[in-house]
Amino acid sequence: MLSVKHNEPVEFAEDLLGKFAEIVARYPEGRQKSALLPVLHEVQAVYGWLSVPAMDRVAAYLGIEPIEVYEVATFYTMFFLRPQGKYALEVCRTGPCCLVGAERIMKHLESRLGVKEGEVTPDGLFSWRGVECLAACGYGPVLQIGPEYTFYENLTEESVDKLIDELKEKAVAIG
Amino acid sequence: MARKLLLTHIDVPGIQAFDVYRQKGGYRAVEKALKTLTPDEVVDEVKKSGLRGRGGAGFPTGMKWSFLAKPEGVPRYLVCNADESEPGTFKDRYLMTHIPHALIEGMIVASYALGANTSYIYVRGEMMPQVRILERAIAEARQAGFLGKNILGVGYDLELYVQPGGGAYICGEETALLESLEGKRGNPRIKPPFPAVSGLYNCPTVVNNVESIAATVPIINDGGEEYAKIGIERSTGTKLISAGGNLNNPGVYEIELGLPVEEFIYSDEYCGGIANGKRLKAVVAGGSSVPILPANLILKTLKGESRLMTYESLADGGFQSGTMLGSGGFIAFDEDQCIVRNTWNFTRFYHHESCGQCSPCREGTGWMEKVLHKIEHGHGSFSDIDLLVDVSKKIEGNTICPLGDAAAWPVASAIRHFRDEFEWHITNGQEAQARNFGLAHYADPLEPVV
């Protein structure tokens, strides 16, 4: 569902528009709509999620209707339709990972971060959710963190604690 | 040691880079194909090799190529399906991460064979690191003159692009993938027309799995007949198997088709047996969609023959006592694993990933998920088991794409082989409840969190 609470206008920076142009050039003339998914990834990498004004801008840029962007953004699970934590942790929750303890890891994340699935910690640093198979079944349990989609494999409660501590330090370091 | 064709140089330091890959004989297949073979001769070699689609369906690749329509003045496309999402399968991630030029080289050979001048590699969006790796590899290949205009001076032009998806299992279905590549929701198209006639941008298109495309490199280097000498019957060549679950050595293995399943599970060259000294309970041999088999039936067929890693041997006995090689996503379950819980988990996956176009799949997967959740949590009744069988039968074969079948088979096979366990959950409700992990409030990621 689209968020209607956040409607601050959005202006894309020059370098982001440059990336859009590079992406659009990959497709034949008149097929610029093909750029939609890669462009939305770029927008989410900058803003952390997809607001309605941002999606409207994308529609205008690609010369398509806003609804064509909304229907895509709501279909694909990677696109966040509301603000997330600075670090959005996504744990694979599908069969093979569950055989090796993914449910334990999610339970641990929940108690360690003190927020339920889909919620953001009060300091704005973390959110977490279970996602479907990440195609890393031999290295489970696994989690990923966007926008680079860095991968953390063979998770244990201890390695998750360490990761959270590191991310907290990193957040302090970069202000 | 088994012969390796795709992962021969996987342990060479720096093999990710063009120079090292080239030193190890990389891009010889491009030179051979472009300089000494016509496109049709390349297609013939692939036909002779007997290579079958490595994404799951197992359709002969050379035949798929020969179906491509070639109307005058209309561009043709090759699209690589790197939307690896079938639970249990992670071989393409491995290949693209560690030896990306194997895919790029295969893409050039296959594009030449099909007469495509623009080709796309559709990578699942979560594999952003692999997107970057492939983009770097493409830039290197272009720098070396293997991509772009007039490749190797033979007058053939090719542009290659990487397209990230957005996190949707359904986009592994080829027509959904094409919709997605056109910037739309991943709703599978009604066939016919098949992509070979009307695919990307309504132009003739071939969609092939990463591993199938990479396999064209050794096929061109050594010849299709040489490739066909490996394996048994109609299962030729080597196959990447993703081994996961409760194994001592999970990971990606390149096997010669025909390897006994028992050897694959227990020998130290491969999975090294079941983890923590436990016994094997069941195996899903080809990705979550294929029927689950109990340990006795995965090791031996009903006739008592040793089960082999081939398309034919795994399918021996049909769905009554056999399964499928599928994508090669090999998931092992130890004796402590709960089949009901796993079936519920898989069904939740299919419900989540159903695109929602066809009612039997959209409604049926949700219904099965709810009933399985009920049984797993100790609130089921005996009639629920029959209900599950009934719903699964009504999904199977009644949907536009195979996701419906993929959702129905795991449920039907789990009940077929492990009915006792379902009944145990029903007669021992409280005990079943007590074993629950306590994660009662899974929020659906698509639901708004207020």
Side-chain angles (χ1 to χ4, degrees):
Chain A
M1 196 183 288
L2 304 184
S3 170
V4 287
K5 278 189 289 189
H6 305 79
N7 46 15
E8 300 84 13
V10 164
E11 212 55 68
F12 293 145
E14 276 307 313
D15 62 331
L16 189 56
L17 290 169
K19 280 183 187 167
F20 290 2
E22 232 173 79
I23 294 167
V24 168
R26 299 170 189 169
Y27 317 100
E29 193 74 31
R31 297 293 184 175
Q32 74 282 1
K33 188 176 169 180
S34 279
L36 185 50
L37 269 75
V39 161
L40 289 178
H41 279 302
E42 295 293 346
V43 173
Q44 181 160 295
V46 172
Y47 296 91
W49 68 293
L50 300 178
S51 68
V52 169
M55 287 191 272
D56 291 348
R57 281 272 162 191
V58 168
Y61 181 86
L62 293 177
I64 56 179
E65 294 297 325
I67 185 71
E68 294 178 85
V69 183
Y70 307 158
E71 66 170 9
V72 160
T74 53
F75 183 86
Y76 295 95
T77 52
M78 286 178 77
F79 299 122
F80 293 117
L81 301 175
R82 66 188 56 76
Q84 301 294 308
K86 182 178 175 66
Y87 302 108
L89 280 52
E90 299 181 304
V91 187
C92 174
R93 65 174 196 177
T94 315
C97 273
C98 285
L99 292 181
V100 290
E103 287 162 307
R104 241 182 19 244
I105 295 298
M106 286 195 279
K107 207 174 168 192
H108 182 69
L109 263 182
E110 179 176 355
S111 66
R112 173 69 208 265
L113 296 175
V115 291
K116 289 183 177 173
E117 185 172 14
E119 294 174 358
V120 183
T121 55
D123 59 8
L125 274 188
F126 296 98
S127 57
W128 74 276
R129 65 173 181 171
V131 292
E132 297 299 352
C133 188
L134 294 176
C137 318
Y139 327 112
V142 294
L143 71 77
Q144 64 179 13
I145 306 175
E148 299 87 7
Y149 293 92
T150 322
F151 228 68
Y152 300 89
E153 301 170 348
N154 300 311
L155 297 174
T156 60
E157 276 99 338
E158 294 73 41
S159 69
V160 168
D161 283 341
K162 199 165 152 257
L163 172 64
I164 291 173
D165 290 338
E166 280 169 10
L167 290 172
K168 279 185 177 165
E169 280 169 29
K170 191 174 152 195
V172 172
I174 58 177
Chain B
M1 280 292 280
R3 270 174 75 177
K4 287 192 180 5
L5 300 177
L6 300 173
L7 305 182
T8 323
H9 301 299
I10 195 84
D11 293 327
V12 174
I15 195 72
Q16 263 202 342
F18 177 85
D19 292 342
V20 179
Y21 181 77
R22 181 86 171 123
Q23 265 168 26
K24 290 286 166 191
Y27 288 91
R28 269 190 303 135
V30 173
E31 291 173 320
K32 184 172 172 184
L34 268 62
K35 287 184 175 167
T36 68
L37 300 172
T38 66
D40 285 344
E41 285 169 339
V42 176
V43 175
D44 279 342
E45 287 303 321
V46 175
K47 272 188 182 167
K48 276 189 232 162
S49 75
L51 173 68
R52 293 168 68 175
R54 300 298 194 219
F59 191 81
T61 306
M63 202 186 292
K64 192 175 196 175
W65 287 8
S66 64
F67 290 157
L68 186 70
K70 293 175 178 164
E72 274 298 305
V74 179
R76 302 190 279 274
Y77 293 102
L78 170 66
V79 179
C80 172
N81 184 345
D83 189 57
E84 182 171 56
S85 314
E86 173 84 6
T89 316
F90 50 101
K91 64 188 176 71
D92 297 338
R93 171 196 287 278
Y94 183 80
L95 189 82
M96 293 188 289
T97 306
H98 297 290
I99 189 156
H101 282 285
L103 175 60
I104 307 301
E105 181 174 9
M107 284 298 288
I108 301 169
V109 170
S111 299
Y112 171 73
L114 298 168
N117 299 112
T118 306
S119 297
Y120 296 96
I121 305 174
Y122 183 99
V123 183
R124 65 176 294 175
E126 291 92 338
M127 292 192 194
M128 224 38 110
Q130 284 70 26
V131 169
R132 305 290 170 238
I133 290 169
L134 290 173
E135 282 175 343
R136 198 179 319 130
I138 288 171
E140 287 175 333
R142 166 185 285 282
Q143 184 76 32
F146 286 98
L147 282 169
K149 296 258 178 247
N150 194 17
I151 299 168
L152 303 178
V154 301
Y156 174 63
D157 304 338
L158 177 64
E159 293 298 336
L160 190 51
Y161 300 108
V162 184
Q163 175 89 352
Y169 169 71
I170 191 61
C171 292
E173 195 279 336
E174 62 179 4
T175 59
L177 186 151
L178 296 175
E179 286 285 297
S180 182
L181 183 47
E182 292 182 6
K184 300 179 215 157
R185 296 162 70 93
N187 288 352
R189 299 173 182 170
I190 293 172
K191 297 190 251 189
F194 288 89
V197 176
S198 179
L200 183 64
Y201 311 131
N202 303 321
C203 298
T205 304
V206 166
V207 184
N208 280 144
N209 173 258
V210 170
E211 188 188 344
S212 311
I213 289 175
T216 61
V217 173
I219 289 170
I220 293 307
N221 279 334
D222 306 334
E225 277 164 20
E226 204 53 36
Y227 186 88
K229 282 181 191 162
I230 306 172
I232 296 174
E233 294 169 46
R234 290 182 56 234
S235 298
T236 60
T238 65
K239 171 96 188 78
L240 298 180
I241 303 292
S242 322
N246 308 120
L247 293 164
N248 276 323
N249 309 320
V252 174
Y253 297 96
E254 182 170 11
I255 62 157
E256 289 185 19
L257 286 169
L259 180 77
V261 174
E262 191 166 359
E263 189 182 336
F264 181 67
I265 298 176
Y266 292 103
S267 97
D268 288 333
E269 195 185 336
Y270 300 104
C271 303
I274 308 306
N276 305 315
K278 297 214 161 112
R279 286 173 305 170
L280 178 67
K281 177 177 183 178
V283 165
V284 170
S288 62
S289 310
V290 311
I292 189 169
L293 286 184
N296 57 332
L297 280 178
I298 189 69
L299 298 175
K300 285 198 174 12
T301 67
L302 210 52
K303 288 177 261 171
E305 288 165 1
S306 175
R307 186 87 75 178
L308 309 177
M309 300 286 271
T310 64
Y311 293 95
E312 295 79 16
S313 178
L314 282 168
D316 190 295
F319 277 7
Q320 281 309 310
S321 63
T323 180
M324 289 164 76
L325 178 62
S327 62
F330 195 94
I331 312 165
F333 297 71
D334 72 28
E335 55 193 299
D336 293 344
Q337 301 299 341
C338 172
I339 300 298
V340 179
R341 188 171 185 82
N342 185 71
T343 310
W344 161 60
N345 183 300
F346 278 174
T347 305
R348 180 182 65 185
F349 170 83
Y350 289 109
H351 180 214
H352 183 261
E353 300 299 333
S354 172
C355 81
Q357 266 192 123
C358 312
S359 313
C361 174
R362 181 188 62 238
E363 304 301 325
T365 52
W367 200 359
M368 291 197 302
E369 185 200 336
K370 278 185 197 144
V371 174
L372 282 161
H373 185 270
K374 196 172 125 191
I375 298 175
E376 157 64 11
H377 291 75
H379 306 293
S381 61
F382 281 95
S383 61
D384 286 333
I385 300 179
D386 298 328
L387 178 64
L388 283 173
V389 173
D390 188 48
V391 174
S392 76
K393 276 188 186 153
K394 283 172 179 159
I395 300 175
E396 190 181 349
N398 290 322
T399 53
I400 291 174
C401 85
L403 192 142
D405 299 346
W409 295 341
V411 175
S413 61
I415 295 173
R416 187 180 307 124
H417 298 298
F418 296 95
R419 198 175 181 108
D420 295 2
E421 239 176 274
F422 286 82
E423 290 176 349
W424 183 89
H425 277 76
I426 289 160
T427 45
N428 300 277
Q430 281 186 332
E431 222 180 306
Q433 250 174 306
R435 290 186 320 135
N436 186 5
F437 283 80
L439 272 168
H441 50 260
Y442 276 118
D444 188 317
L446 289 179
E447 287 289 315
V449 178
V450 184

